[in-house]
Amino acid sequence: MSRLAIIAAFLCCSSFGLAAAQDRARFTVGTASAERGQKASGTIEVPAGVDAALSIPVAVFHGAKPGPVMAIVAGSHGTEYTSIIALEKLIATLNPAEISGTVIIVPLINIQSFEQKVPHLNPVDKKSMNRWYPGKMDGTQTDRASYLITKQVVEQCDHLIDLHGGDLDESLRPYSYWTKTGNEKQDQISKEMVRAFGLDHIIISADRPRDPQASRYLENTASTRGKPSITAEAGYAGTVETDDLNALVNGCLNVMRYLKMLSGAPTVVEHPVWIEKVVTVASEQTGIFYPTVKRGTYVEQGMKVGYVTDYLGKISFEARAPVAGIVLYVCAVPSMTKGATIANIGVVGRVP
Ligand SMILES: [Zn+2]
């Protein structure tokens, strides 16, 4: 028995991984209600309030055998297409007869972002749909959707995977996040989850909110409620490339194998690059952006990562890496405004 298997056997069967769903004959999320061994689709209905109502699609796979409840969510940012399409593919792939436990899949939260091709925000209320958790019912659409996802999805799951990627204006190389909550047992499981997900660059986030009532991010809403969870990103700038897509789909399947929700031995990424800090390079000028690095480039401190010109070609700002590290993403489009992100650089840290 490998170290991983021992940890899985010990931890998953102790205080984690045994949700309320364990003995449920039926599992319901929103209007999707599945009997054991069945799948169901439906919606989480966000009622109208100060602004419009929203129907968030949800699929439930209530496995033939009992086990943990895994929630997999994408599309908080509706133009991070690869993550959304990955969950469409997962919905078509999963078979409840083969699952031990229950899988909740929410492939697209931010529907207006997707339909109107608006990056970063929900165009209805101009809020990022991954910053307002745990949400509230007397707020705008994003607040209400966040509240209902907290109640219907987060509170009903044992583990959560939140999928993202480079948005329309972000050229991003794949990476995942491992949140260190300080709860050693929980962190050990989420660390094995992130290694099982398989992306070879992992950001250690130790500065995320600890208060479940001010969790802001979806993953932290689960983490601060004691549920080992991870975030993963792949895809960039409106593209849906096969390698990125497969990385996300296979990552989810492999985490399910680690949690013994699917049969087969999980593989883990052997020696990932652990990133201890992310440093943002912001533009000091508005104008036209020209990158001089690509996503995934390793840069030395002081190296030029791009420059900005005015609209007649005169260079107004040279962007340099303030630290040595890897370009996690670099702005993918020429549009640049003062204060906007030119690149995010990951500083390689020690193996945790
Ligand atoms: Zn995102």
Side-chain angles (χ1 to χ4, degrees):
M1 194 182 243
S2 71
R3 186 176 144 266
L4 176 64
I6 293 166
I7 291 165
F10 171 71
L11 292 174
C12 292
C13 302
S14 53
S15 58
F16 295 105
L18 298 174
Q22 189 73 294
D23 301 314
R24 278 197 212 170
R26 175 174 284 279
F27 196 97
T28 303
V29 182
T31 66
S33 189
E35 285 178 42
R36 192 163 283 295
Q38 302 291 319
K39 65 177 173 183
S41 41
T43 52
I44 296 168
E45 290 296 325
V46 181
V50 294
D51 47 24
L54 174 67
S55 290
I56 300 170
V58 60
V60 173
F61 296 78
H62 197 25
K65 286 163 278 178
V69 180
M70 165 70 83
I72 312 178
V73 181
S76 300
H77 303 128
T79 46
E80 294 173 358
Y81 294 119
T82 302
S83 57
I84 297 159
I85 304 304
L87 292 194
E88 299 297 325
K89 210 170 162 184
L90 206 57
I91 288 169
T93 302
L94 289 176
N95 177 356
E98 297 168 353
I99 297 172
S100 300
T102 306
V103 185
I104 304 167
I105 298 185
V106 181
L108 176 58
I109 294 178
N110 195 345
I111 291 171
Q112 285 306 312
S113 157
F114 179 87
E115 291 183 355
Q116 298 180 38
K117 291 168 272 189
V118 173
H120 308 297
L121 303 175
N122 178 355
V124 173
D125 56 16
K126 306 281 192 284
K127 288 177 176 172
S128 166
M129 293 194 90
N130 194 30
R131 292 294 185 279
W132 297 88
Y133 285 95
K136 54 182 181 178
M137 282 310 283
D138 61 352
T140 63
Q141 190 184 80
T142 294
D143 297 307
R144 302 195 304 281
S146 301
Y147 179 84
L148 290 172
I149 285 169
T150 301
K151 289 287 162 197
Q152 296 274 320
V153 178
V154 177
E155 289 186 2
Q156 294 209 84
C157 77
D158 300 303
H159 302 278
L160 183 141
I161 301 175
D162 190 19
L163 298 183
H164 288 262
D167 216 320
L168 287 180
D169 56 350
E170 294 167 347
S171 181
L172 176 145
R173 66 101 64 227
Y175 55 85
S176 47
Y177 289 90
W178 173 51
T179 300
K180 256 175 109 171
T181 64
N183 177 336
E184 220 169 285
K185 211 159 145 188
Q186 180 180 338
D187 293 350
Q188 190 60 44
I189 298 172
S190 58
K191 189 175 167 190
E192 295 301 336
M193 285 172 67
V194 81
R195 292 181 69 221
F197 197 92
L199 300 182
D200 60 5
H201 283 59
I202 302 171
I203 297 171
I204 304 167
S205 52
D207 57 349
R208 288 289 175 95
R210 301 273 171 111
D211 177 1
Q213 292 316 310
S215 52
R216 298 188 72 214
Y217 306 87
L218 176 58
E219 185 220 301
N220 299 91
T221 306
S223 298
T224 55
R225 283 162 179 74
K227 301 158 193 281
S229 299
I230 62 169
T231 299
E233 310 219 13
Y236 62 96
T239 61
V240 183
E241 291 195 358
T242 307
D243 286 355
D244 291 326
L245 197 55
N246 288 345
L248 294 183
V249 173
N250 293 335
C252 292
L253 292 172
N254 211 43
V255 172
M256 288 173 65
R257 284 185 203 105
Y258 161 68
L259 295 168
K260 303 197 180 312
M261 299 177 72
L262 291 175
S263 62
T267 55
V268 295
V269 56
E270 282 295 344
H271 296 286
V273 175
W274 294 93
I275 291 164
E276 63 179 13
K277 193 167 72 168
V278 177
V279 177
T280 296
V281 183
S283 180
E284 292 178 8
Q285 297 294 336
T286 292
I288 299 176
F289 173 64
Y290 297 87
T292 54
V293 293
K294 291 189 168 164
R295 64 203 156 88
T297 302
Y298 271 81
V299 293
E300 197 45 85
Q301 184 177 22
M303 190 182 282
K304 193 154 89 170
V305 298
Y307 60 95
V308 178
T309 72
D310 66 16
Y311 298 130
L312 293 170
K314 186 175 167 234
I315 292 178
S316 56
F317 178 61
E318 278 193 346
R320 293 183 180 275
V323 287
I326 180 166
V327 177
L328 296 173
Y329 70 82
V330 57
C331 181
V333 297
S335 306
M336 183 54 67
T337 53
K338 189 175 175 178
T341 299
I342 282 180
N344 261 7
I345 296 171
V347 178
V348 177
R350 296 223 307 253
V351 177

